[in-house]
């Protein structure tokens, strides 16, 4: 249902793990994660893949963080997109699924 787009560039491993853990801890699990690395390394690739996420090396034509997001968006195929930077994380109470629950609730209210 969601493509989670995470651009990274020179992010410390501890922050990446916190970011990735926060995605895995969400109660909503209908998502696919795309991590686009602006400074590719084997270590980052291994870490991303150990979480079961998709790893992309940022291509030169997709410059800066906006380009990384756009490159990852092109790879995704879900109807909704969620953005998260590699040095940020989602808190426990900010679940990806709540907007979907809200949309379903609003659409099912009888008129």
């Amino acid at each position: 249902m969601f493509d989670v787009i995470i651009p990274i560039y020179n992010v410390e491993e501890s922050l990446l793990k916190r970011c990735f853990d926060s995605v895995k801890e969400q109660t909503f699990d209908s998502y696919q994660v795309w991590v686009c690395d602006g400074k590719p390394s084997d270590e980052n690739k291994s870490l991303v893949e150990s979480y079961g996420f998709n790893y992309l090396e940022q291509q030169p034509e997709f410059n800066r963080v906006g380009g990384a997001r756009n490159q990852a968006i092109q790879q995704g195929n879900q109807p909704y997109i969620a953005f998260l930077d590699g040095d940020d994380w989602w808190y426990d109470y900010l679940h990806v699924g709540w907007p979907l629950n809200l949309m379903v609730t609003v659409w099912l209210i009888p008129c």
Side-chain angles (χ1 to χ4, degrees):
M1 182 71 59
F2 283 89
D3 278 320
V4 179
I5 308 298
I6 305 175
I8 61 174
Y9 183 89
N10 242 4
V11 179
E12 293 179 25
E13 183 177 345
S14 62
L15 292 174
L16 285 177
K17 286 181 178 180
R18 186 171 185 179
C19 172
F20 298 163
D21 287 341
S22 78
V23 173
K24 284 286 202 183
E25 292 168 359
Q26 298 301 305
T27 57
F28 188 79
D29 61 359
S30 181
Y31 60 83
Q32 197 168 27
V33 178
W34 299 90
V35 179
C36 191
D37 193 351
K39 192 174 181 186
S41 71
D42 290 338
E43 293 81 15
N44 284 349
K45 182 177 182 181
S46 294
L47 180 63
V48 169
E49 291 176 346
S50 74
Y51 279 84
F53 298 162
N54 299 292
Y55 180 82
L56 302 169
E57 290 185 7
Q58 186 172 355
Q59 300 302 306
E61 62 269 20
F62 295 99
N63 58 6
R64 302 186 185 220
V65 69
R69 288 186 185 111
N70 289 335
Q71 181 180 344
I73 288 169
Q74 287 184 2
Q75 295 297 312
N77 59 6
Q78 301 299 314
Y80 300 103
I81 300 170
F83 294 102
L84 180 64
D85 288 338
D87 58 354
D88 293 332
W89 56 90
W90 285 326
Y91 288 101
D92 294 340
Y93 58 85
L94 294 178
H95 299 287
V96 172
W98 78 262
L100 180 63
N101 291 337
L102 179 61
M103 287 187 300
V104 170
T105 302
V106 169
W107 285 104
L108 294 179
I109 294 174
C111 298

